[in-house]
Amino acid sequence: MNTKVYVVTGATSGLGKAVALELAKTGATVILVGRDPDRGAQVEKEIASAAKNANTDLQLSDLSNLSSVRNLAEILNSKYEKIDVLINNAGIYKRQRSVTVDGFEEMFATNHLGPFLLTHLLLDRLLASTSARILNVTAPSTSELKFDDLQGEREFKSLSAFGASKMSNLLFTYELARRTADTHIRVNAYHPGLVRSPLMKEAVAPLRLLTRLFSSPPQRAALDLVQLATAPEFETTHGKFLHRGKEMEPSSYALDPLNQSKLWEVSERLTGISQS
């Protein structure tokens, strides 16, 4: 029996759904995290049937809502003795500035703060695995963070804010990799390329058209991501930014330890995580 336990956020559409299906085909336990109960139930049924695997577990959570993230972590920590792989895949793009119940700009909250908090709260279960992996799905962003205006209160440009959230994923990956270097948890970032998904549904028409024209079905990127999650050859890969199994070179800003540690400290404060 395959006893691996995988957690996939954003698992009800696009890349996340394709990844969850491929992982379910291995016979593992796959925890599908999504926001919509009706869609989630439908997708779980589809995956369980297609993969012939009854070990799927739908968990509802809104990553933009920190209480919802804490609730999800509490359920997973009580239900599972270990987690082998956490795939932080969920992400959104918002054309207009919107604010979460916690008062954060929605893209920053969903794309960074939610995954940051969830990862922190699941660390004990990841440490309980003999060889855990954390994979953060992101993009080769060159956006620099405005630490004095992270919530876009003074100035908000949707593409810049989205780029900043993707840069946050990179900074988080590198800092987490440094902090887990002496453990058996391996942490990496993954760029799937342009994937057909609902992500950019709120973008302006020309951008939606370009995305449609140059994006590929999620199955290809899913196979690459599943390789990073399961293949023995990536068991020791750590602190890398990967695309199609090869390392990418991010911007110098992403590699700056000062930027990495500063975002970590700010994120701890915003999510209420103790400095200790």
Side-chain angles (χ1 to χ4, degrees):
M1 181 182 294
N2 190 322
T3 58
K4 293 286 187 180
V5 177
Y6 299 97
V7 178
V8 184
T9 68
T12 58
S13 65
L15 177 61
K17 180 181 177 182
V19 167
L21 173 59
E22 294 303 319
L23 290 173
K25 288 177 181 177
T26 69
T29 295
V30 181
I31 301 161
L32 295 80
V33 179
R35 290 186 296 179
D36 186 315
D38 293 334
R39 181 169 182 80
Q42 178 187 341
V43 168
E44 182 187 23
K45 185 178 179 181
E46 289 176 12
I47 290 176
S49 175
K52 295 179 175 58
N53 182 352
N55 298 319
T56 56
D57 180 8
L58 173 66
Q59 293 294 334
L60 299 175
S61 182
D62 180 355
L63 291 184
S64 74
N65 182 327
L66 299 186
S67 292
S68 181
V69 173
R70 290 190 183 93
N71 183 62
L72 170 64
E74 186 176 341
I75 291 170
L76 297 183
N77 283 329
S78 65
K79 197 170 183 180
Y80 296 96
E81 294 182 357
K82 62 153 187 171
I83 292 171
D84 296 285
V85 180
L86 169 62
I87 300 177
N88 288 312
N89 164 73
I92 61 166
Y93 169 81
K94 303 293 288 186
R95 187 173 175 181
Q96 303 293 332
R97 185 178 184 271
S98 55
V99 177
T100 70
V101 294
D102 300 300
F104 302 126
E105 189 277 314
E106 194 169 2
M107 283 188 281
F108 182 71
T110 306
N111 299 352
H112 170 62
L113 287 180
F116 176 89
L117 178 60
L118 180 63
T119 302
H120 175 84
L121 295 176
L122 295 181
L123 277 178
D124 282 347
R125 291 298 176 266
L126 288 156
L127 286 166
S129 169
T130 54
S131 60
R133 306 183 198 188
I134 298 171
L135 294 164
N136 297 321
V137 178
T138 186
S141 174
T142 57
S143 299
E144 298 186 3
L145 303 189
K146 296 179 180 178
F147 282 102
D148 61 346
D149 191 27
L150 280 175
Q151 310 308 323
E153 294 170 291
R154 292 204 300 270
E155 180 183 25
F156 179 81
K157 294 180 180 178
S158 58
L159 288 176
S160 296
F162 180 72
S165 72
K166 295 291 100 181
M167 173 57 73
S168 297
N169 297 153
L170 289 170
L171 295 172
F172 169 49
T173 298
Y174 288 121
E175 182 67 10
L176 182 61
R178 183 181 68 78
R179 289 171 180 253
T180 56
D182 294 332
T183 73
H184 54 256
I185 297 177
R186 304 297 86 184
V187 183
N188 296 287
Y190 170 67
H191 171 44
L194 278 177
V195 175
R196 207 161 297 145
S197 78
L199 176 64
M200 301 304 289
K201 63 184 178 183
E202 289 192 20
V204 294
L207 184 54
R208 290 201 310 272
L209 177 61
L210 282 172
T211 303
R212 246 190 337 265
L213 288 174
F214 294 102
S215 62
S216 57
Q219 287 74 18
R220 166 61 196 270
L223 292 175
D224 290 337
L225 186 48
V226 168
Q227 279 288 100
L228 298 180
T230 62
E233 58 263 37
F234 294 107
E235 193 170 5
T236 59
T237 304
H238 188 61
K240 306 296 183 185
F241 182 27
L242 302 161
H243 175 63
R244 294 189 176 177
K246 297 182 179 180
E247 186 174 0
M248 294 184 68
E249 185 69 24
S251 70
S252 57
Y253 183 89
L255 293 172
D256 189 332
L258 293 177
N259 297 327
Q260 296 162 12
S261 61
K262 187 171 184 179
L263 177 64
W264 185 281
E265 291 166 5
V266 170
S267 302
E268 279 188 326
R269 177 170 53 81
L270 294 178
T271 57
I273 294 173
S274 169
Q275 291 291 333
S276 62

